Amino acid sequence: QVQLQQSGPGLVKPSQTLSLTCVISGDSVSSDRAAWNWIRQSPSRGLEWLGRTWYKSKWSYDYAVSVKSRITVTPDTSKNQFSLHLSSVTPDDSAVYYCAREDVGYGNNQFAFWGQGTLVTVSS
Amino acid sequence: QSVLTQPPSASGTPGQRVTISCSGSRSNIGSNYVYWYQQVPGMAPKVLMYRNDERPSGVPDRFSASKSDTSASLAISGLRSEDEADYFCAAWDDGLSVWMFGGGTKLTVL
């Protein structure tokens, strides 16, 4: 059974960088059957997909246009985890952030496993 | 603003059948599979339906879904109190290369 455990600060100051980590158990960040995603949820934006990384001979990345200039998703094979870094945050970035495993390779790209969610507030 | 459009709310009494719609465009629902997620307050979403109309093991057959052109719908028959939750549709958008989610429908069991 795949489990995703999130960690990171719940309060970030405006203009700083939001950083969250998602530790994977029961699977590998280098699996060719998965993509590793970050999704956030807020009352104003609903569920918003932010970006993902996956490995198939090399690491690849997709990012949402809305945050493309500010986001980095970073895999760490030594710790079997992946991280989200979102720079220059504003109060509008306040949300519950989720990491999620996306099944790939079988024509079924469901988000089958999710982290527990981290409420991040951007405030001075 | 969500690109996939859902009604913000739906309701029904126990035993009734309710449907939730999800409207998109050719670049998302019209070109790719639709997924449905159920979310209870305080928890992460859980996949309810995948590849338009398939149910993961463990999801009751009271839940069904369909897709036609650029729209999709989720149906819940024999409504039960535990079905009270938020429901989201999702599809990959080929034009923007992003995952799109619906705004969510809050289902109330009266």
Side-chain angles (χ1 to χ4, degrees):
Chain A
Q1 179 78 345
V2 175
Q3 290 187 318
L4 304 177
Q5 181 67 40
Q6 298 177 218
S7 63
L11 181 64
V12 182
K13 289 182 167 49
S15 80
Q16 293 191 340
T17 296
L18 180 162
S19 294
L20 297 174
T21 296
C22 185
V23 177
I24 304 161
S25 57
D27 200 351
S28 168
V29 71
S30 303
S31 169
D32 61 0
R33 299 181 180 181
W36 306 97
N37 294 253
W38 287 98
I39 296 163
R40 67 183 178 183
Q41 185 175 29
S42 66
S44 59
R45 293 176 174 270
L47 280 169
E48 181 184 14
W49 177 82
L50 298 175
R52 66 182 178 183
T53 185
W54 74 97
Y55 185 80
K56 194 172 178 69
S57 304
K58 65 179 179 71
W59 289 101
S60 297
Y61 308 88
D62 282 322
Y63 297 127
V65 172
S66 60
V67 295
K68 196 165 190 173
S69 63
R70 302 191 292 129
I71 188 173
T72 305
V73 176
T74 306
D76 184 339
T77 57
S78 67
K79 295 180 180 178
N80 202 32
Q81 64 185 37
F82 63 108
S83 299
L84 167 71
H85 302 282
L86 186 66
S87 65
S88 305
V89 296
T90 71
D92 194 44
D93 293 309
S94 298
V96 176
Y97 286 74
Y98 292 101
C99 59
R101 180 192 185 276
E102 175 189 352
D103 294 343
V104 300
Y106 296 97
N108 174 15
N109 289 61
Q110 62 182 348
F111 294 111
F113 299 98
W114 296 67
Q116 79 275 23
T118 301
L119 175 61
V120 178
T121 301
V122 178
S123 173
S124 55
Chain B
Q1 185 177 356
S2 303
V3 175
L4 303 184
T5 303
Q6 296 181 236
S9 64
S11 63
T13 56
Q16 271 191 332
R17 182 177 188 270
V18 297
T19 61
I20 297 171
S21 61
C22 174
S23 177
S25 67
R26 191 174 301 174
S27 62
N28 41 68
I29 293 178
S31 304
N32 296 294
Y33 290 123
V34 177
Y35 300 81
W36 288 92
Y37 294 87
Q38 179 191 58
Q39 185 180 34
V40 296
M43 301 294 288
K46 163 194 159 186
V47 63
L48 194 64
M49 305 292 293
Y50 65 95
R51 278 198 299 221
N52 300 334
D53 58 8
E54 298 186 51
R55 268 189 318 275
S57 60
V59 173
D61 60 6
R62 301 185 295 104
F63 293 89
S64 62
S66 63
K67 183 183 108 167
S68 177
D69 197 16
T70 60
S71 293
S73 65
L74 173 72
I76 310 170
S77 59
L79 200 60
R80 303 177 67 159
S81 58
E82 59 259 39
D83 298 333
E84 197 162 275
D86 293 324
Y87 294 84
F88 298 89
C89 56
W92 179 258
D93 189 287
D94 287 338
L96 296 174
S97 294
V98 299
W99 275 102
M100 291 291 185
F101 289 94
T105 299
K106 183 176 183 61
L107 175 64
T108 302
V109 180
L110 301 169

